[in-house]
Amino acid sequence: MLISLYQMQPISGDAAANLSKIAQAAAAASDMGADLLVTPELSTTGYALSPDQFAEIAEGRDGDIVGALSEIAAEFEIAICAGFAERDGEAVYNSAVLVRPDGASEFYRKGHLYGEAERAAFAPGGDLPHVFDFAGIRTGMLICYDVEFPEYVRTLALAGAELVLVPTALPAGPISRRVADMVVPTRAFENGMFIVYADLCGEEGALSYSGRSVIVGPDGDELARAGTRETLLVAEIELSAYDDCRKQNPYLSDRRPTLYRL
């Protein structure tokens, strides 16, 4: 299976413009034979908005943004994972959706909010990330900061996840860069899974993004890596190619939780 990743410069508060950019990436990825396009955290709205702006732009799961993503997926016959501001009653969540060409969808709400700005704008998701089937591969979603908590990623691995999609908005900086360069490959290796880590890039308001998006294999090796500008990556995901890796590093089966239960 071919997986694509769109490292994207967002346009603040302009869902139509961002959806147009995602559609162009979906068309290109589909032409290359990709089955899935993963885009960044809040890629449909931009990330650097105020709480009031997020409250105004947020939509339900049956809103125009998810509907437009479904139409793009159907038109180009490619599944799309994208971030959006989700409204549920009075609460607003930092969410991700995966839409399939047939109209089916999966949703996830960010569990670990980063910094005062996110905590002012969003409610934290309260459900554990779930695992679903995508093209025969057990798949889950996280968002940005979530992947930096090893026990949270491990919950997906123990539930059988083989592929984890991580839309992110990683800020630029020497410390943040270690997340993309070191933490994400380590999470893939220690859990024997593929991770697709899709970052924003460029500048948005006062924020600068790291870029450095990456697709990582279960052995921790990079299958594709972006720089700091807009980029479309494509990599092949083949589970059987890593059977020996999992046999040599059987972390999941050799765990002894009674030794480190909190």
Side-chain angles (χ1 to χ4, degrees), residues 149-222:
F149 293 82
E151 59 271 44
Y152 205 54
V153 184
R154 181 56 56 87
T155 64
L156 277 173
L158 293 175
E162 300 162 314
L163 168 66
V164 176
L165 315 178
V166 189
T168 189
L170 184 70
I175 302 301
S176 296
R177 178 172 175 149
R178 284 171 169 76
V179 176
D181 291 359
M182 299 170 63
V183 173
V184 172
T186 298
R187 292 289 171 272
F189 177 70
E190 68 192 4
N191 290 293
M193 58 172 52
F194 294 93
I195 295 182
V196 183
Y197 186 76
D199 196 12
L200 297 169
C201 65
E203 297 181 352
E204 184 188 2
L207 289 180
S208 296
Y209 300 109
S210 180
R212 303 288 298 160
S213 298
V214 67
I215 303 174
V216 187
D219 58 357
D221 282 352
E222 298 176 3

Side-chain angles (χ1 to χ4, degrees), residues 41-130:
E41 180 178 8
L42 296 169
S43 57
T44 59
T45 61
Y47 178 89
L49 304 180
S50 70
D52 287 344
Q53 288 173 310
F54 276 123
E56 182 177 353
I57 205 169
E59 296 182 354
R61 296 182 175 184
D62 59 351
D64 292 341
I65 288 176
V66 174
L69 289 168
S70 295
E71 291 176 2
I72 295 167
E75 178 179 358
F76 298 110
E77 299 184 339
I78 185 171
I80 301 171
C81 176
F84 75 109
E86 178 192 354
R87 175 169 294 284
D88 186 358
E90 294 301 312
V92 175
Y93 295 94
N94 183 339
S95 296
V97 61
L98 184 144
V99 293
R100 295 178 171 88
D102 65 1
S105 58
E106 306 285 345
F107 293 88
Y108 169 73
R109 293 170 175 170
K110 188 174 185 178
H112 299 86
L113 299 178
Y114 181 78
E116 292 304 317
E118 280 196 18
R119 287 190 280 271
F122 302 110
D127 297 327
L128 286 175
H130 69 287

